[in-house]
Amino acid sequence: IVATLGTTWRNDLPLVGPDGWILMADSADVVDLNPVSGKRRRTYAGGASDLWSLVRWNGFRPRARGLDRPVEFEADSADTAAVAPPDSGASRINEPARAAAAPVQTPAAPPSRAEPPPAAAPTGWTLSFAALLDEQRARAQAATIRIDGRPARVVGTPRDGTMIWRVVAGPFATREEAERAGRRTGLPYWVYEDTP
């Protein structure tokens, strides 16, 4: 045991991050706290009204072209039920006459779908600090983050009918450059390929 922390226990908080820092409720806010030193890294104003969860996020990258193709089946070569059995030469007494086989209709091929446009080549690496449902809170958080003199920005992305406001910085030429910039902020971040 390294420390005792007083907080309200909920289903989602306190939450231990991958770096060992703890997110915990503090009245209406949520604080990011180092459990050993007690140092607060960040306060999320009004964050206690949110639901908190750890997510390994890939940045909503586009899917590969080949993943969303319609299913295709080989066309049937013949309908074996319509083929009459060979005649054995014996007479068939009291056998009802066979109805003439109806012509077999081959279903029309489904209309071909246009190929989706090729995914654009990634243009760099982006740092993401938060994904929020409240644009004002996202803008307030972005205003507190500067990397090499440049402010973070807010990007709105619709997702399943809901607008998500992401606090991002970049693009950076390489993942390593993005990682170094993220570490300099002292904040939790995610790195993903592409530019929002």
Side-chain angles (χ1 to χ4, degrees):
I1 298 176
V2 295
T4 302
L5 305 172
T7 184
T8 303
W9 283 80
R10 306 179 349 182
N11 288 336
D12 59 336
L13 293 174
L15 180 66
V16 179
D19 58 358
W21 287 61
I22 296 178
L23 285 171
M24 56 187 248
D26 184 19
S27 297
D29 302 332
V30 169
V31 295
D32 192 8
L33 185 75
N34 183 318
V36 176
S37 69
K39 175 184 172 192
R40 288 185 180 203
R41 177 166 48 184
R42 181 150 184 89
T43 299
Y44 300 94
S49 63
D50 290 333
L51 177 65
W52 292 83
S53 177
L54 291 176
V55 177
R56 183 180 173 118
W57 184 43
N58 68 1
F60 304 126
R61 286 185 262 174
R63 290 168 57 93
R65 285 180 64 188
L67 292 179
D68 295 318
R69 298 185 62 102
V71 176
E72 296 176 11
F73 299 97
E74 290 183 30
D76 291 336
S77 59
D79 181 1
T80 57
V83 176
D87 190 5
S88 64
S91 64
R92 294 189 174 95
I93 300 174
N94 295 331
E95 182 177 328
R98 290 183 182 252
V104 176
Q105 295 286 340
T106 304
S112 63
R113 288 190 350 186
E115 283 291 318
T123 57
W125 295 83
T126 299
L127 283 174
S128 178
F129 297 96
L132 303 167
L133 298 176
D134 184 329
E135 181 181 9
Q136 289 180 339
R137 286 188 52 214
R139 294 201 181 283
Q141 184 173 351
T144 66
I145 301 171
R146 296 190 80 73
I147 298 174
D148 301 329
R150 295 182 299 172
R153 64 187 192 283
V154 175
V155 177
T157 306
R159 186 77 174 158
D160 297 329
T162 302
M163 199 62 150
I164 297 174
W165 303 96
R166 296 188 291 160
V167 179
V168 299
F172 298 91
T174 65
R175 181 181 185 96
E176 292 74 25
E177 184 181 336
E179 290 279 358
R180 283 192 300 270
R183 284 192 296 271
R184 284 195 304 272
T185 67
L187 299 171
Y189 62 88
W190 295 270
V191 176
Y192 63 93
E193 194 174 11
D194 214 351
T195 304

